[in-house]
């Protein structure tokens, strides 16, 4: 299921000059599904990424970090390769060897060096990567490389996702056209701590490496780093920003108006992709925005927002459309903001003022809470009366379907 | 449902000299159920407690803290009063007034001062306490006060619990007999951060206030503070230790052998009561002990243990008896131990060595993992190779029944 999430349409996903995509059915875990994706980049492209902070970060994440650290003008990143069905995480030295072997094979097929390849994996943890099947699938993926393959690419990286996630836009910055398309995946093990497994956003402007590094961090912090489905930070989270440099716009300075406009567009599209993940959260029936305002700092606002967003009691109440809103107060109370004065706290559910100065608003009526809880999109707003900081987190409810999916995932 | 938890039997619960218990059906939320409990203490009794650290701590918790701070030899605590059906939390000034009104009424009926009463509530948050129904129910509770009423007392404090939780033992310390009986309740909103709502343990030895304060903290840290069902710290958690002083033993010093023996017994019985809560966790089908060993300090061991114990992905895998054990590694990885070297980490499931030096143990066989996962009691053991510290946390699985219970709780 997915909450009010329109299926992206192939025709709406704009090709980005300088990036070709090709997929294959490699049978990594199951037969007859797209499970291997290759993205080939123009030599002008720059690539930057943010990765999971999980200490068990997957072998391909480690290889990506190494390869990105070695990038030079003479040997830029030229291709990305992504498999589903196996996360290649918790696999030790052998996992690293297999991730590297994938790079060696793809580099040899495309005429690049292995360090010009970035590998990604998603799927089951603690099982050996079937690298031979991946190697065997690469020629098929290469044979259908083309620029207007974004919809197939979005489908190729799905695991428990019920629908592909993608978005596209064109804009004009400083008189130059920019085309921007992104894809993402993920429906469980979603509480990104840098970015979520997996997001890819490409545009055709030219951006120097240092600026792109900044751009990807800022975008992740305002999008993928603000979502949670189950509080489980994945071992494989990766969000990659690709500037192909094959279009009209060239960015040279972070102080330029063009950079700022580009950043706004990148952030908006990243947020769109992140929201698609929540809307397709495992078992999700509701899309919930939690905004905490008037805090001392962003950190405490986010702490409280996540505390609400992770509470199984809050999430099951949303699933049941039950305005059992005291559970939200409890989650605020244990969020770890030790000097929080709850007697000044106000809580709103959409337009309904539920708690006033830490207690039930005398004007609050159960039927008003009920009316909002029945909606499929709900905004929870907490006002702390401690300062001017603010943060938002996006999450979904916890349903029977979530348990079913995660009790059955491997079978 | 409850995991391998034998129902306590009335005859096995030993009366503790110096404490009488009486219950009533006050109709606090629903009719025809025991929902009000009074415990009357001998004038020799000392009482100590630990309470939730939730910032939205309930009105009765605030009143308890105030009354305990005022205790003197001339005016000791003489009674406890507990209602279910309403938590009197998130209720502001009016909630405090109603908790105090309950104390005033009971004090007047028993001939004590209001500050000699400790009030407790459990149930729905953010709704006004129906204090008139509680006042009206008190005479009935007082009329059946007796020492051998522990089983009825355990039943009177149940909410979503499927069975009463109680335990009893007698022991001899320094040639003196000590009788000890405790009750607890709780099945959801369980991740105590001091103690769980609600635990009461009484014994008949005489213990000075300062020593009892220490004893209750130590006992909570080794029992109620090591359990989690859903990671939700309640607004009403309270664990009370009652030394009636009506028995043979008198403790005078924390350095005495008698104090140490008493502490061991109190800790064991507290742990027993805490485990009963997990075994009756909402929707629980499995009882899981998570032990993290060889850590730098207890804090990091507990952090990792809780990270595993809170992961919905780990908990649903246990429910499904699916050895999808990579999810445990992921939870270890995002526990927030930033300098953790996973390449030295080992993971065991009961006697099965699953992960060796951070990767899959080459000798691990899926059928061995499967065999353990099918059991209803499972030990997860993580060895960090960083030091000598150790901590255990007890939890349960996450089932369809959990969602059903929490989607329906108020209706």
């Amino acid at each position: 299921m997915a909450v009010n999430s329109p299926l992206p349409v192939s025709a709406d996903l704009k090709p980005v000059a300088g990036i070709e995509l090709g997929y294959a059915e490699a049978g990594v875990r199951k037969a007859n599904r797209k499970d291997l994706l290759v993205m080939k980049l123009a030599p002008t492209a720059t690539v930057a990424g943010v990765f999971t902070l999980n200490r068990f970060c997957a072998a391909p994440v480690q290889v990506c970090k190494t390869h990105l650290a070695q990038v030079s003008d003479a040997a830029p990143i030229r291709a990305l390769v992504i498999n589903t069905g196996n996360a290649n995480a918790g696999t030790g030295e052998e996992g690293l060897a297999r991730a590297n072997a994938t790079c060696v094979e793809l580099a040899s097929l495309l005429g690049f060096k292995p360090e010009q390849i970035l590998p990604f994996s998603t799927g089951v943890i603690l099982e050996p990567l079937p690298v031979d099947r991946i190697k065997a699938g690469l020629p098929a993926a290469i044979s259908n490389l083309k620029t207007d393959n974004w919809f197939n690419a979005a489908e190729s990286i799905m695991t428990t996702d019920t629908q592909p996630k993608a978005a596209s836009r064109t804009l004009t910055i400083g008189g130059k056209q920019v085309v921007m398309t992104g894809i993402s995946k993920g429906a469980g093990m979603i509480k990104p701590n840098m970015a979520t497994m997996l997001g890819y956003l490409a545009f055709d402007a030219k951006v120097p490496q240092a600026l792109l590094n900044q751009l990807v961090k800022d975008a992740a912090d305002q999008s993928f780093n603000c979502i949670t489905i189950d509080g489980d930070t994945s071992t494989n989270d990766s969000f990659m920003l690709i500037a192909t440099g094959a279009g009209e716009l060239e960015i040279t300075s972070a102080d330029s108006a063009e950079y700022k406009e580009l950043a706004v567009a990148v952030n908006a599209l990243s947020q769109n992709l992140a929201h698609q993940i929540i809307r397709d959260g495992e078992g999700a029936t509701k899309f919930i925005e939690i905004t905490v305002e008037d805090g001392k700092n962003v950190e405490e606002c986010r702490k409280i927002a996540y505390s609400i967003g992770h509470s199984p009691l809050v999430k099951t109440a949303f699933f049941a459309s039950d305005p059992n809103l005291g559970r939200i107060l409890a989650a605020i109370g244990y969020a770890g903001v030790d000097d929080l004065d709850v007697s000044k706290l106000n809580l709103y559910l959409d337009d309904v003022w539920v708690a006033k100065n830490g207690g039930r608003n005398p004007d609050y009526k159960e039927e008003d809470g009920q009316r909002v809880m029945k909606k499929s999109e709900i905004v929870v707003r907490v006002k702390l009366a401690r300062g001017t900081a603010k943060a938002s987190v996006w999450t979904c409810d916890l349903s029977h379907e979530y348990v079913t999916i995660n009790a059955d995932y491997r079978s």
Side-chain angles (χ1 to χ4, degrees), chain A:
Chain A
M1 62 185 97
V3 186
N4 297 348
S5 189
L7 207 62
V9 177
S10 186
D12 293 341
L13 298 178
K14 296 169 185 43
V16 177
I19 178 166
E20 295 172 283
L21 310 102
Y23 65 91
E25 297 181 354
V28 174
R29 185 168 184 87
K30 293 183 179 169
N32 304 319
R33 57 185 290 171
K34 297 169 190 162
D35 58 5
L36 187 61
L37 175 68
V38 171
M39 297 183 185
K40 188 180 167 196
L41 311 183
T44 47
T46 46
V47 180
V50 286
F51 299 95
T52 182
L53 290 182
N54 193 308
R55 292 297 303 165
F56 262 103
C57 87
V61 170
Q62 296 174 53
V63 173
C64 278
K65 287 180 181 170
T66 305
H67 288 186
L68 283 169
Q70 294 172 351
V71 158
S72 67
D73 289 345
I77 299 298
R78 293 302 307 277
L80 288 70
V81 53
I82 303 144
N83 73 271
T84 66
N86 185 302
N88 195 8
T91 46
E93 287 300 320
E94 183 59 27
L96 275 176
R98 293 184 187 203
N100 280 317
T102 305
C103 296
V104 167
E105 182 73 10
L106 182 58
S108 141
L109 290 170
L110 294 176
F112 304 138
K113 295 178 187 156
E115 59 268 29
Q116 293 181 285
I117 313 291
L118 298 180
F120 303 84
S121 297
T122 178
V124 182
I125 300 168
L126 201 64
E127 297 196 1
L129 183 76
V131 65
D132 291 337
R133 288 183 218 159
I134 289 170
K135 284 193 208 167
L138 287 174
I142 291 169
S143 72
N144 66 29
L145 278 169
K146 50 184 179 174
T147 57
D148 62 348
N149 231 352
W150 282 98
F151 187 81
N152 283 315
E155 286 190 326
S156 299
I157 62 174
M158 291 166 62
T159 52
T160 57
D161 309 67
T162 69
Q163 54 183 56
K165 297 161 183 67
S168 205
R169 72 180 286 197
T170 53
L171 63 160
T172 305
I173 295 178
K176 308 274 172 75
Q177 182 186 266
V178 178
V179 179
M180 191 178 283
T181 299
I183 58 175
S184 64
K185 67 85 42 178
M189 202 173 268
I190 297 292
K191 197 275 178 176
N193 188 353
M194 275 326 285
T196 192
M197 178 70 190
L198 301 164
Y200 301 90
L201 198 166
F203 53 81
D204 58 2
K206 190 171 175 65
V207 180
Q209 188 68 46
L211 291 189
L212 199 67
N213 291 346
Q214 188 56 48
L215 199 57
V216 73
K217 278 200 188 66
D218 291 346
D221 279 346
Q222 293 176 56
S223 58
F224 296 103
N225 281 354
C226 302
I227 62 174
T228 182
I229 288 175
D230 47 19
D232 278 286
T233 300
S234 153
T235 47
N236 294 53
D237 291 342
S238 307
F239 172 50
M240 306 303 298
L241 203 53
I242 301 162
T244 67
E248 297 177 355
L249 181 69
E250 179 166 357
I251 301 285
T252 52
S253 155
D255 299 325
S256 63
E258 287 84 357
Y259 177 82
K260 282 162 194 159
E261 283 183 56
L262 183 68
V264 167
V266 166
N267 289 349
L269 204 70
S270 300
Q271 213 167 78
N272 177 318
L273 291 169
H275 288 188
Q276 288 188 49
I277 287 176
I278 295 302
R279 287 176 192 281
D280 195 25
E282 287 173 345
T285 74
K286 303 203 175 172
F287 178 83
I288 300 154
E289 175 176 310
I290 303 160
T291 296
V292 178
E293 299 173 352
D294 303 341
K296 270 191 191 160
N297 51 55
V298 171
E299 192 199 355
E300 73 175 25
C301 293
R302 196 168 282 189
K303 221 177 194 180
I304 289 174
Y306 269 123
S307 187
I308 299 169
H310 287 151
S311 162
L313 292 171
V314 171
K315 290 162 92 83
T316 45
F318 275 112
F319 170 56
S321 301
D322 178 9
N324 193 341
L325 302 171
R327 292 176 176 179
I328 296 179
L329 297 191
I332 295 168
Y334 68 70
V337 178
D338 291 339
D339 61 348
L340 183 68
D341 178 358
V342 300
S343 75
K344 292 182 178 156
L345 186 142
N346 291 289
L347 170 69
Y348 302 79
L349 205 65
D350 278 9
D351 56 326
V352 177
W353 192 352
V354 176
K356 187 174 180 175
N357 298 329
R360 189 186 174 108
N361 174 9
D363 297 332
Y364 170 69
K365 291 188 200 71
E366 176 94 1
E367 57 263 36
D368 293 334
Q370 184 68 71
R371 172 175 54 78
V372 177
M373 289 298 276
K374 282 188 174 154
K375 295 166 69 177
S376 61
E377 308 224 353
I378 299 169
V379 177
V380 174
R381 196 151 61 95
V382 179
K383 289 172 80 79
L384 301 179
R386 288 160 61 85
T388 57
K390 177 179 168 175
S392 291
V393 158
W394 295 277
T395 191
C396 55
D397 55 338
L398 172 59
S399 68
H400 285 293
E401 189 67 13
Y402 177 86
V403 178
T404 300
I405 291 167
N406 283 299
D408 298 346
Y409 173 40
R410 293 203 323 167
S411 51

